[in-house]
Amino acid sequence: MAASNADIAELFSRYADLLEIQGANPFRVRAYRNAARVVADSGRSMSDRMAAGEALDDLPGIGKDLAAKIGTIVRTGALPQLAELETRVPRALGELMNLPGLGPKRVKSLYRELGIRNREDLQRAIRSGALRSLHGFGPKTTARIAAAIERRAVAPQRYRLVDAEQAAAPLLACLGAMPGVETVEVAGSLRRRRDMVGDIDILVTARRGAPVTHAFTRHDAVASVLAVGATRASVQLHNGMQVDLRLVPAASHGAALHYFTGSKPHVVAVRGIAVAKGLKINEYGVYRGGRRIAGRTEDEVFAAVGLPFIPPELRENRGEIEAAADGRLPTLVELGDVRGDLHAHTVASDGHDSLQAMADAARALGYDYLAITDHSRRVRVAHGLDTRDLRAQFAEIDRLNAGFRGFRLLKSAEVDILGDGHLDLPDAVLSEMDVVVVAAHYQLGLPAGKQTARILRALDNRRVQILAHPTTRLVNQRPEFAAHMESIFAAAAERGVAMEINAQPDRLDLDDVHARAARAAGCKLVVSTDAHAAAGLANMRHGVDQARRAWLAASDVLNTLPLERLLRALRR
Ligand code: DGT
Ligand code: CA
Ligand code: CA
């Protein structure tokens, strides 16, 4: 199977990590990191582009050389330069860089001075106290690293939703094309749109005796077959993910889909209701005595126990069954409700596209508005803007807006919250913006009390309207910072500051649980992409997924409003 965008991005970022540890030219390192991001953000797969004969070097930041490397990865699944570098630099060093507090410099000195090549080595060095002799490893840093290693050792391997989705796509297509197959659907946590999933579950209905399961195990993406029978198969893919396939007759489709969509606590609770009504539910149907009374569709299964259809995103046994029984299920927000995006970067900071290109992409999505939120000056790695740069950008936005009808670029910035809670830009320029977005990017390791106070102080500034990626977590890479989110939500609700659900697959921040708590606390919410390229605007659906898991209706999400009402609603 051709390498997916996630595979390509993974190889490029691993290559960048190793180059950086080796002390390679920073521009070279940056080029690979950018390439990883551009590929990961791209709405279409590189292999589709190549199949369509499109030149890959049209992509922002991708020159001839990188385009050729992408071609090689798509065709062979590997990057020879990386393999070569891995013979000289231990591959696990790249993974060490993902631990909080460990950048390339520190990893390099761990390796060069103590010969530490992987997590186990590092853990041993921490225990023996060997790290203490090393410059830059104080007791606090060391304790933080030790805690992170522990956390990972116990946490089971889970995957980002997008990566599972991308890995599933060719399998679904292949199953759909098999003779005798009637329906193909994802189930499990992937269908519930959890931010991280453990494995991919697929449900197929097919004519009796269709040789689906065995054929499935011969797919190119399959590395090993864990189990296979007439109605099920479990396999491991080359990328390490497990896939569980189940085959049921059409008459059981709804019951099986409900069962395998889960979550387990939800299914168990629904089954409990059935028992109370003298019914029995399993993956083949709903039964009264020995007679099947429902099972062909999920609607039928829910109706049999007296419930309306419950959207998969809500099926976590977090009150959805009671709400459904009382007719209190929310009408969940949908992608089509979104009228604009309130977090996007351009080439002025660390984005890849111009104002014009970002505006064109937003208009192509049918949006009414797009806020341009380049970084402020403190974020130097991203070429943050100062007051003068911003005023120049605002003038350019005015010029472009004069040419638009039914669409407006909003003047904004992603203003960095400094360590003490002050903002990185003066009030004068904040008051020239249509919307003020703030975010923390540094000093994420402060203790909870200080971190909370820092954020609250930022929200005290009366010009602040949106707190972006409020917990600063990165999916699978960095946990939330230590802060009392309840206090932040309460303060934000009181001051009228909206909380962002950041739709970047790496962030999804707020997550579903926090977003629901924020709404319960009375906060306004927005769903924004934090796009770093025009294609990144397409990530909106990932944010909407998490908003739905947070029980949000369109009326809970400010950027479902038309422009004038949005601006009024953002006002404090
Ligand atoms: P994951 O894969 O950890 O992200 O989460 P799920 O929810 O996809 O869990 P998974 O793949 O183990 O199972 C898929 C669904 O199958 C699960 O949501 C409910 C159903 N299921 C699996 N095992 C059991 C079980 O032992 N009892 C019941 N009632 N349902 C089960
Ligand atoms: Ca699963
Ligand atoms: Ca499974």
Side-chain angles (χ1 to χ4, degrees), residues 13-29:
S13 57
R14 214 188 308 154
Y15 192 53
D17 287 346
L18 295 190
L19 282 176
E20 198 167 359
I21 293 167
Q22 250 209 335
N25 179 336
F27 290 102
R28 211 163 143 233
V29 174

Side-chain angles (χ1 to χ4, degrees), residues 158 187-190 192 194 196-201 244 258-265 267-268 271 316:
R158 297 184 72 80
S189 50
L190 188 51
R192 303 196 312 276
R194 270 193 71 174
M196 281 183 264
V197 304
D199 69 2
I200 297 170
D201 301 287
D244 291 338
H258 181 255
Y259 181 90
F260 291 112
T261 295
S263 66
K264 197 168 158 180
V267 171
V268 168
R271 209 179 278 166
E316 300 289 348

Side-chain angles (χ1 to χ4, degrees), residues 476-546:
N476 265 351
Q477 291 174 56
R478 182 171 75 205
E480 303 177 9
F481 64 7
H484 304 301
M485 293 311 294
E486 330 76 77
S487 312
I488 292 175
F489 295 155
E494 196 183 296
R495 293 163 175 71
V497 177
M499 293 291 111
E500 177 184 87
I501 296 177
N502 187 295
Q504 263 203 60
D506 269 328
R507 289 200 182 265
L508 301 180
D509 177 14
L510 298 174
D511 70 9
D512 54 349
V513 173
H514 279 313
R516 194 172 174 199
R519 195 196 79 150
C523 291
K524 313 173 199 174
L525 287 127
V526 299
V527 182
S528 303
T529 63
D530 198 354
H532 282 71
L537 294 174
N539 283 327
M540 184 60 79
R541 65 190 182 90
H542 298 300
V544 171
D545 282 339
Q546 299 313 309

